[in-house]
Amino acid sequence: MKPFNCCWCPNTGLAAAGGGSLEAESLSDPKNRACFRSLFIVAALVCGAYFICNAFITNEYKDRLSRWEVINMLRNSKSDTCKNQCRPPGSEALPQGIVVKTSNLQMQPLWSDSVKNVNPETSSNLLAIAVGIKQKEIVDQIVKKFPVSDFVVMLFHYDGIVDEWKDFEWSDRAIHVSAVNQTKWWFAKRFLHPDIVSKYKYIFLWDEDLGVDNFDPKQYLSIVEGEGLEISQPALDPVKSEVHHPITARRKNSKFHRRMYKFKGHGRCDSQSTAPPCIGWVEMMAPVFSRAAWRCVWYMIQNDLIHAWGLDMQLGYCAQGDRMKNVGVVDAQYVVHFGLPTLGLNSTEVKIAQREQLPKSESPAPSESHKIDNRPEVRRQSFIEMQTFRKRWENAAKDDECWVDPYQQLS
């Protein structure tokens, strides 16, 4: 076998013989000894640098690891104390005292003495109304009935007109939300989250076409609280109102009622009836929810079913107990339901450009306006949504193996 030439000291004559041993005589050469010294110094420097860097990195890693081990040990030591704390998802990295789980609709001044606080902290209830400018005067009468000290007012502007409400003295203290052609339930799902309105004991979610000459909010809530009504509504004046369901009609000489009686025709109701609309039912134009009931109802509102048809039949599930006891209609404080057309009915002036495209004999006068009535389409969509909601409820009840229908045996 040929000897292997050493690659690190060229032309030195160093060689590995067989097993790699160096020839003894080559070591006596001064050049070879210098080469060995140089290699030894370089190797020592490289090794020293490696060990120093490795020690530094290892110590830093150990320091970090030890810090996290200490943190984990502290967490584990507190596990018995902290395991029962319910923290909102995402807040685990924060100390509990800094976490604010809820909010409210309280307006705050830009600086401490800038303006007088327009919504006192004592406001403990919420009035939310879907409004259009055409019912401006009716809404004004409604809002004036609700004391500033007890109610925060929130208006949902479905026609996009907000500035024209500024002439009312209460407008600046109201919360205004605007989205064109959206329903009350669309607004409620997006802007009345239970964690936002959790401060308010009762939530009035009303339509705009209600007469309130015979309604006092404080007396109304006194009855509701006294009778334990978690979901309620004021009764409707049967003479002046557009009444769609007999259970909502006011009964004379009555404080409130929970059921209706119907002995003829389709859908009979008697003292043995246990399901809506005979009992445990309110209409959707003027419902009033307790804080706990609204938290449940909010979850039941569907994002895409903006008319909320069919929801009324299931409200009793959110009554915080027996719907036959905790849902009712208050007769002593009643309203008038005018039944005015709102969504789907628009008045638009005929533009000059449109008139010019028509024959002269058919061209309307410049001041003539046309009403576009889309209410049939709105009603049709409402029926479609009701069927969709019913189907979703049926599927949800069938698919949830852990849910038990408390009213299944009663229906």
Side-chain angles (χ1 to χ4, degrees):
M1 178 180 293
K2 294 181 179 180
F4 178 78
N5 291 328
C6 182
C7 61
W8 7 287
C9 290
N11 301 319
T12 62
L14 295 177
S21 62
L22 297 174
E23 296 180 4
E25 62 272 15
S26 65
L27 297 176
S28 61
D29 190 335
K31 292 183 178 181
N32 291 344
R33 288 198 299 272
C35 179
F36 271 110
R37 284 196 297 269
S38 299
L39 290 174
F40 179 78
I41 293 172
V42 171
L45 291 174
V46 171
C47 292
Y50 170 78
F51 286 114
I52 292 172
C53 292
N54 185 61
F56 177 79
I57 294 173
T58 301
N59 290 335
E60 184 180 9
Y61 173 76
K62 287 181 178 179
D63 288 342
R64 292 181 180 178
L65 184 61
S66 62
R67 286 198 298 268
W68 282 109
E69 286 178 348
V70 170
I71 292 173
N72 289 331
M73 289 175 61
L74 290 173
R75 287 176 176 172
N76 292 334
S77 66
K78 295 181 179 181
S79 61
D80 293 338
T81 304
C82 304
K83 64 182 180 181
N84 294 325
Q85 291 183 359
C86 184
R87 294 176 178 267
S91 70
E92 296 84 359
L94 304 175
Q96 189 173 15
I98 203 66
V99 175
V100 181
K101 299 179 181 179
T102 63
S103 186
N104 55 50
L105 300 173
Q106 185 76 26
M107 285 193 277
Q108 301 293 337
L110 292 177
W111 62 92
S112 59
D113 299 326
S114 61
V115 292
K116 186 177 180 180
N117 199 347
V118 292
N119 277 340
E121 280 290 347
T122 55
S123 298
S124 57
N125 305 291
L126 174 65
L127 169 66
I129 317 175
V131 302
I133 198 64
K134 292 181 181 179
Q135 274 65 253
K136 181 179 177 181
E137 300 303 325
I138 298 177
V139 174
D140 179 45
Q141 296 302 314
I142 295 175
V143 173
K144 287 180 177 178
K145 280 281 187 173
F146 289 77
V148 178
S149 58
D150 292 325
F151 287 88
V152 170
V153 176
M154 191 172 192
L155 299 186
F156 301 136
H157 299 272
Y158 60 76
D159 57 2
I161 301 174
V162 178
D163 288 346
E164 294 186 25
W165 294 82
K166 289 183 177 180
D167 52 345
F168 293 133
E169 57 85 19
W170 49 261
S171 180
D172 285 343
R173 74 170 187 268
I175 309 296
H176 298 266
V177 182
S178 177
V180 177
N181 286 334
Q182 300 305 310
T183 69
K184 175 175 69 176
W185 299 100
W186 182 92
F187 284 105
K189 183 65 173 178
R190 285 151 183 85
F191 300 102
L192 297 183
H193 187 280
D195 288 343
I196 299 295
V197 299
S198 62
K199 169 185 174 181
Y200 307 110
K201 193 170 184 180
Y202 289 96
I203 298 165
F204 290 64
L205 190 54
W206 280 16
D207 287 355
E208 61 190 332
D209 57 342
L210 300 173
V212 291
D213 289 343
N214 299 291
F215 181 81
D216 184 301
K218 284 189 173 182
Q219 294 184 23
Y220 178 89
L221 289 181
S222 176
I223 296 172
V224 165
E225 290 181 323
E227 301 298 335
L229 301 179
E230 298 284 337
I231 301 175
S232 63
Q233 75 160 86
L236 306 183
D237 186 320
V239 177
K240 300 179 180 179
S241 298
E242 183 175 311
V243 178
H244 300 289
H245 302 277
I247 195 173
T248 64
R250 176 180 178 249
R251 299 177 185 177
K252 293 182 178 180
N253 303 318
S254 170
K255 181 189 294 185
F256 76 101
H257 64 273
R258 293 186 174 96
R259 68 167 62 244
M260 74 170 186
Y261 298 90
K262 182 182 177 185
F263 302 109
K264 297 181 180 180
H266 176 70
R268 298 186 181 185
C269 299
D270 55 32
S271 59
Q272 302 302 313
S273 300
T274 59
C278 299
I279 192 172
W281 189 88
V282 298
E283 200 169 0
M284 304 300 275
M285 101 279 290
V288 179
F289 303 99
S290 70
R291 180 192 297 116
W294 175 249
R295 180 170 288 275
C296 172
V297 171
W298 185 89
Y299 284 111
M300 188 163 53
I301 300 171
Q302 308 291 290
N303 282 318
D304 56 328
L305 306 183
I306 62 174
H307 296 286
W309 279 34
L311 196 72
D312 52 354
M313 298 296 289
Q314 310 300 343
L315 287 180
Y317 286 91
C318 294
Q320 309 303 297
D322 190 352
R323 66 187 177 190
M324 294 191 292
K325 295 181 179 179
N326 298 348
V327 181
V329 179
V330 178
D331 298 300
Q333 298 296 319
Y334 60 99
V335 298
V336 175
H337 182 214
F338 298 122
L340 300 177
T342 53
L343 288 173
L345 183 63
N346 299 317
S347 295
T348 58
E349 291 291 329
V350 178
K351 298 180 181 179
I352 296 177
Q354 292 174 322
R355 294 201 303 269
E356 290 177 347
Q357 294 176 0
L358 297 173
K360 291 184 178 180
S361 59
E362 300 179 12
S363 180
S367 61
E368 182 180 349
S369 65
H370 287 267
K371 286 186 177 180
I372 302 175
D373 190 353
N374 292 317
R375 284 177 297 171
E377 285 73 17
V378 171
R379 191 170 184 82
R380 187 179 300 111
Q381 179 63 29
S382 300
F383 275 109
I384 293 173
E385 290 189 6
M386 180 172 64
Q387 298 299 327
T388 301
F389 179 80
R390 287 177 177 174
K391 190 65 177 177
R392 288 182 187 178
W393 180 277
E394 292 173 2
N395 292 337
K398 179 178 63 176
D399 295 341
D400 191 344
E401 297 179 355
C402 299
W403 182 71
V404 177
D405 189 346
Y407 303 108
Q408 187 174 16
Q409 296 179 351
L410 297 177
S411 58

